[in-house]
Amino acid sequence: MIRFTRELGKKKYTTFVTSEVMPKQFQAIYKQIHKSPLTQHEREDLEREWLALSESREPLRIWRNGRIQSVSEIYYDDFIVNRAKKLHGKTKTKDFIQATRLIGETIERLDQQVGDEFVEYRLKKL
């Protein structure tokens, strides 16, 4: 996983997928990362990390503290509920919030790449 942060004006943007990076920028990142092959120790560390992840029964993986970590599917539930409360406070009618708006607001404010299908699934479970 490559996370690339760039500045546009005064804002910083973190790229989650390579299609968001211009080809010349991606080429520079690739060259910097692949200056030399992995050492035996680095390869073994990655292998151990993969084995641990593949044995995990948690259905969701996030990027935290520079590593991939498995978490339960309820990991973002509090975040979704808090977004709903904030949206509810901003609406004129206090009895209804469109699910698509809540899903979009949630995805926009997460610091992880999470699909709308997953947020919709969690919203239905809540």
Side-chain angles (χ1 to χ4, degrees):
M1 174 188 241
I2 297 173
R3 297 189 86 179
F4 173 64
T5 302
R6 63 187 184 273
E7 291 186 28
L8 294 175
K10 293 184 179 182
K11 290 188 175 184
K12 286 187 177 183
Y13 295 90
T14 300
T15 300
F16 293 102
V17 293
T18 56
S19 63
E20 295 176 348
V21 180
M22 297 298 291
K24 288 189 182 219
Q25 292 173 324
F26 187 71
Q27 184 178 17
I29 294 166
Y30 186 82
K31 283 179 181 177
Q32 184 178 359
I33 292 172
H34 290 89
K35 286 183 180 176
S36 61
L38 294 174
T39 66
Q40 183 65 24
H41 179 67
E42 290 170 326
R43 192 179 100 38
E44 289 169 356
D45 282 348
L46 290 171
E47 184 179 341
R48 277 191 293 278
E49 182 180 3
W50 167 246
L51 290 172
L53 288 169
S54 67
E55 291 173 0
S56 170
R57 296 294 166 232
E58 300 291 350
L60 185 62
R61 294 188 178 134
I62 63 166
W63 183 258
R64 181 172 40 190
N65 300 325
R67 299 188 72 81
I68 300 170
Q69 296 182 356
S70 297
V71 295
S72 72
E73 68 181 15
I74 67 169
Y75 182 80
Y76 288 116
D77 287 2
D78 288 341
F79 188 86
I80 295 168
V81 169
N82 287 332
R83 288 304 323 147
K85 287 178 181 178
K86 286 183 181 180
L87 280 175
H88 189 64
K90 293 179 182 179
T91 59
K92 293 179 183 175
T93 59
K94 300 295 181 191
D95 57 342
F96 180 77
I97 299 172
Q98 288 186 357
T100 53
R101 176 138 187 240
L102 176 56
I103 292 167
E105 287 271 336
T106 300
I107 291 169
E108 181 181 321
R109 289 188 168 53
L110 284 175
D111 62 349
Q112 304 279 330
Q113 182 74 23
V114 178
D116 58 342
E117 300 90 354
F118 179 78
V119 177
E120 180 184 14
Y121 162 73
R122 291 312 307 154
L123 186 56
K124 287 178 180 179
K125 289 291 188 178
L126 290 168

